[in-house]
Amino acid sequence: MESANDSQVFGIIFTLFPIQFLVIWLIVLGLISLLSGWRKLSSKYRVQELPDNLDWLGWQTARFNGLMDARSTLWIAMSERGLYLKMGPAFFFRFMHPPLLIPWSDITDVGTKHLLFFKYTAFKVDGVSIWVLGSGLDGADRYCPAFCRLEG
């Protein structure tokens, strides 16, 4: 038989769970931002307002600093101004991950990397290594000559 104390404890746990989950989620996103280098990049490349005319390529996968993966949560757009990166598709992935605009001139060490069976386009920005899986950066050679040297 369930006592009144047991039901009160259950009620408190049930009530607090959403708050606990949210706090843990925000802590994890903060750690990912720090370890991936996104926080470092956002101090220099944060963009407050995104242009309306960008063609976003969504659901992309990338690896940051060789250890943090953004699996199907990275959105990429390109323009003459540079490479736009944002996390998504919804707001709950964006805590501590503001949208970025990286000028083409700040992208260095462009190359191709292979990890197991996957091919990545790799580059560095301000010391942060970024590997984008598959065709996520197709068309970048239109804006940045460094991408022209990649093997097809």
Side-chain angles (χ1 to χ4, degrees):
M1 179 162 214
E2 191 176 319
S3 72
N5 283 342
D6 289 343
S7 66
Q8 285 177 338
V9 169
F10 179 75
I12 291 170
I13 291 171
F14 187 75
T15 304
L16 291 179
F17 177 76
I19 296 168
Q20 292 169 336
F21 180 82
L22 179 63
V23 169
I24 291 169
W25 183 257
L26 296 177
I27 289 170
V28 168
L29 285 176
L31 285 172
I32 290 171
S33 176
L34 184 64
L35 295 174
S36 69
W38 197 283
R39 182 172 179 205
K40 177 182 179 183
L41 294 175
S42 69
S43 68
K44 186 173 183 181
Y45 301 109
R46 178 185 204 140
V47 62
Q48 297 299 326
E49 196 169 314
L50 296 168
D52 292 331
N53 61 344
L54 294 174
D55 289 325
W56 289 97
L57 184 59
W59 311 103
Q60 298 302 299
T61 295
R63 174 167 275 208
F64 292 85
N65 274 338
L67 56 113
M68 302 305 297
D69 288 338
R71 293 191 180 160
S72 300
T73 57
L74 182 68
W75 292 60
I76 299 171
M78 296 173 245
S79 77
E80 293 81 17
R81 293 187 65 205
L83 180 66
Y84 290 88
L85 302 175
K86 70 177 182 175
M87 297 301 277
F91 69 92
F92 47 82
F93 289 109
R94 294 189 186 140
F95 178 73
M96 304 250 341
H97 291 83
L100 307 175
L101 168 57
I102 301 166
W104 296 113
S105 59
D106 289 2
I107 295 175
T108 62
D109 299 331
V110 176
T112 303
K113 302 281 185 189
H114 296 274
L115 183 64
L116 298 175
F117 306 106
F118 303 103
K119 181 179 173 184
Y120 292 84
T121 302
F123 57 96
K124 285 188 178 179
V125 178
D126 206 24
V128 175
S129 68
I130 302 172
W131 298 13
V132 177
L133 180 64
S135 60
L137 291 173
D138 283 358
D141 57 338
R142 177 176 166 198
Y143 304 107
C144 182
F147 286 93
C148 291
R149 296 189 291 273
L150 294 177
E151 61 209 44

